[in-house]
Amino acid sequence: VVVKDGLAAKAVWPVPSTPVTLRQSGCMFVPHVVALQVGQTLLVNNADMAMHNVNAKSQRSEGARFNRMHAPGAKDIEVQFSAPERSVPFGCDFHPWMSAWVHAVEHPFFAVSALDGSFEIRGLAPGRYRFDAVHEWLGTHSFEVTLDGRSGARVVLRHRAAAAD
């Protein structure tokens, strides 16, 4: 879930120094979805005893477009996005069931939902905001929220899958 509109024009937010980690564990990427701020470091870790490769398919950030071998116990692969981009696929060509999605956001107002769908975004000033909730299979759902500065907002989203042809 990411703020799409409503932030101050030309505002600049500091990039977190804490990296985000995407692990290869049990021949799966864990977690399946990560989000980070543009310029923040993503560490891809191989916790398996198996050889993997990391195939990252960014369309906007050359440093996040690569296909590298990743041996057991090898140093983490460091990735940085230079531009905002949603739904960047990461995969392993050796284990085609392994997939992950990475979202690089230009500001800190985003969240990856918990398993129950809950999410929280803190630090927004009072105002009207448009958000996008992105789902791997169900697409993007846009919604608006007005914050009054006295309390937060509760949003309930219901995604519907498209009808089959």
Side-chain angles (χ1 to χ4, degrees):
V1 179
V2 61
V3 172
K4 180 179 178 181
D5 292 311
L7 298 172
K10 300 189 184 203
V12 177
W13 294 272
V15 175
S17 59
T18 304
V20 171
T21 300
L22 180 61
R23 297 181 67 224
Q24 297 165 100
S25 179
C27 283
M28 301 292 288
F29 281 106
V30 180
H32 183 64
V33 177
V34 296
L36 69 162
Q37 203 168 327
V38 171
Q40 187 174 8
T41 300
L42 172 67
L43 298 176
V44 184
N45 172 274
N46 186 355
D48 283 335
M49 294 307 296
M51 177 70 81
H52 292 293
N53 78 311
V54 179
N55 189 345
K57 297 179 180 174
S58 172
Q59 299 297 310
R60 301 192 68 207
S61 297
E62 191 172 321
R65 181 175 44 246
F66 58 88
N67 193 346
R68 288 190 207 148
M69 301 294 287
H70 203 196
K75 181 181 171 192
D76 292 350
I77 297 172
E78 291 190 26
V79 183
Q80 284 196 335
F81 286 81
S82 57
E85 187 172 4
R86 290 189 198 163
S87 302
V88 177
F90 275 55
C92 174
D93 296 330
F94 298 151
H95 308 101
W97 61 87
M98 290 179 66
S99 68
W101 299 97
V102 178
H103 302 271
V105 182
E106 62 270 26
H107 54 71
F109 304 110
F110 60 86
V112 175
S113 63
L115 289 176
D116 66 0
S118 63
F119 65 92
E120 185 174 314
I121 297 174
R122 293 183 170 270
L124 287 168
R128 186 173 184 88
Y129 298 93
R130 176 172 281 289
F131 293 81
D132 278 348
V134 180
H135 188 276
E136 178 179 355
W137 301 309
L138 301 176
T140 300
H141 182 89
S142 295
F143 61 96
E144 289 187 7
V145 172
T146 299
L147 299 175
D148 62 13
R150 294 186 302 273
S151 63
R154 180 173 166 79
V155 177
V156 177
L157 302 175
R158 291 190 185 2
H159 281 285
R160 290 203 170 108
D165 290 336

